[in-house]
């Protein structure tokens, strides 16, 4: 019932939106070149499913690699910032400043510096998804009550033991919050990197469809990219629930 309660409202709203969109296109007689109906978009997915699947696989590969490396790197950096206050005070303003650079400006620069291979696309995904993870983790580390930390220290626990046994578990909620935020950027960053220079991927597919004035195929690729993002968020939700159950068992043990 809880699952239905979470899924049913957005499903109904999405159905109403798509139904209104379909009805407006039919009633207004809008050209498919300008505004294709949802049925045209779905038809485009079915007709081009082999091509879309091939390009989506390339996008997934880059996004998964970049996102995985970003999470690992963000965790290591957050630990360093947690244990070195002077480093945190020096690095955080630079990280904040890095977020003011538009992704549309970064993508062609990455291609210019590193070529048309896998590296510039992975680096761009890391740059875009890295910051929310670091901020969320460092904020999560600060949620450990000082009295709890002092009690562990008084019992002989060293700084690393306090971090491993208390600080890190207390940041679990912040970690998954940052993970969800970064996940919403991963696919978009990959597509932007493909715009700048790639041989395959949803970004290239969208660019080709746009140049051929196929608005239905552009929206088909956009729909697939949205599904990929939702799928990634679903995996994170499953991981969150699984680790949450394990954490509660260990807490009550």
């Amino acid at each position: 019932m809880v699952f239905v309660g979470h899924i049913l409202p957005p499903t109904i709203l999405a159905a109403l939106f798509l139904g209104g969109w379909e009805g407006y296109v039919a009633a207004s007689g809008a050209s498919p070149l300008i505004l294709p109906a949802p049925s045209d978009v779905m038809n485009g997915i079915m007709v081009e499913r082999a091509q879309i699947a091939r390009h989506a696989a390339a996008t997934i590969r880059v996004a998964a690699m970049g996102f995985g490396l970003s999470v690992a790197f963000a965790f290591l950096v957050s630990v360093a910032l947690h244990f070195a206050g002077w480093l945190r005070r020096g690095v955080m303003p630079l990280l904040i400043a890095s977020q003011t650079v538009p992704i549309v400006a970064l993508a062609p620069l990455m291609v210019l510096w590193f070529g048309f291979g896998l590296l510039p696309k992975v680096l761009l995904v890391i740059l875009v998804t890295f910051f929310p993870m670091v901020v969320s983790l460092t904020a999560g580390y600060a949620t450990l009550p000082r009295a709890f930390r002092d009690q562990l220290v008084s019992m002989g626990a060293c700084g690393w033991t306090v971090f491993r046994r208390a600080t890190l578990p207390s940041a679990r909620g912040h970690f998954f919050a940052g993970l969800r935020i970064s996940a919403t950027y991963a696919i978009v960053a990959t597509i932007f990197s493909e715009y700048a220079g790639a041989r395959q991927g949803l970004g290239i597919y969208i660019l080709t469809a746009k140049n051929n004035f196929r608005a239905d195929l552009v929206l088909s690729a956009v729909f697939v990219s949205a599904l990929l993002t939702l799928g990634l968020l679903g995996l994170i939700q499953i991981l969150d629930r699984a680790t949450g159950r394990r954490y509660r068992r260990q807490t009550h043990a």
Side-chain angles (χ1 to χ4, degrees):
M1 293 298 295
V2 176
F3 178 78
V4 174
H6 281 84
I7 295 298
L8 192 59
T11 302
I12 292 175
L13 289 176
L16 290 174
F17 173 74
L18 293 175
W21 179 1
E22 185 81 29
Y24 172 79
V25 172
S28 65
S31 170
L33 296 176
I34 305 299
L35 182 64
S39 56
D40 296 326
V41 175
M42 293 299 105
N43 182 66
I45 292 176
M46 293 303 299
V47 172
E48 290 281 307
R49 59 184 180 275
Q51 287 290 329
I52 292 177
R54 180 172 63 84
H55 287 284
T59 298
I60 291 172
R61 182 171 65 252
V62 173
M65 186 178 300
F67 188 53
L69 291 173
S70 176
V71 172
F73 187 45
F75 174 73
L76 294 176
V77 170
S78 70
V79 173
L81 297 180
H82 173 72
F83 281 102
W86 62 269
L87 184 62
R88 180 172 62 253
R89 290 188 294 271
V91 169
M92 287 305 292
L94 297 178
L95 290 177
I96 294 172
S98 70
Q99 299 306 296
T100 63
V101 181
I103 185 175
V104 293
L106 282 177
L109 288 176
M110 287 293 175
V111 173
L112 180 65
W113 292 336
F114 301 104
F116 290 89
L118 187 65
L119 180 60
K121 294 187 282 292
V122 171
L123 286 177
L124 190 67
V125 174
I126 292 174
L127 287 174
V128 172
T129 59
F130 169 77
F131 179 76
M133 288 297 308
V134 172
V135 172
S136 297
L137 283 170
T138 52
Y141 298 153
T143 60
L144 180 68
R146 185 179 182 86
F148 192 20
R149 185 189 64 186
D150 292 342
Q151 182 180 9
L152 290 175
V153 172
S154 67
M155 296 170 63
C158 64
W160 177 249
T161 301
V162 173
F163 177 80
R164 183 169 55 89
R165 294 293 183 87
T167 305
L168 194 58
S170 71
R172 179 186 166 277
H174 285 75
F175 168 73
F176 278 101
L179 203 63
R180 291 186 182 92
I181 295 172
S182 294
T184 60
Y185 297 151
I187 300 297
V188 175
T190 304
I191 291 176
F192 266 110
S193 70
E194 292 166 349
Y195 280 159
R199 296 179 179 87
Q200 56 183 350
L202 288 176
I204 289 296
Y205 185 86
I206 292 173
L207 194 60
T208 303
K210 178 182 73 68
N211 292 338
N212 290 328
F213 302 99
R214 292 295 304 273
D216 56 335
L217 297 184
V218 171
L219 291 176
S220 296
V222 170
F223 178 76
V224 171
S225 68
L227 288 182
L228 294 180
T229 301
L230 291 175
L232 182 56
L233 290 173
L235 290 176
I236 293 173
Q237 181 70 16
I238 293 172
L239 181 62
D240 186 8
R241 291 183 177 180
T243 57
R245 287 194 296 267
R246 182 179 178 182
Y247 174 69
R248 286 190 293 270
R249 285 197 300 267
Q250 291 177 347
T251 303
H252 292 96

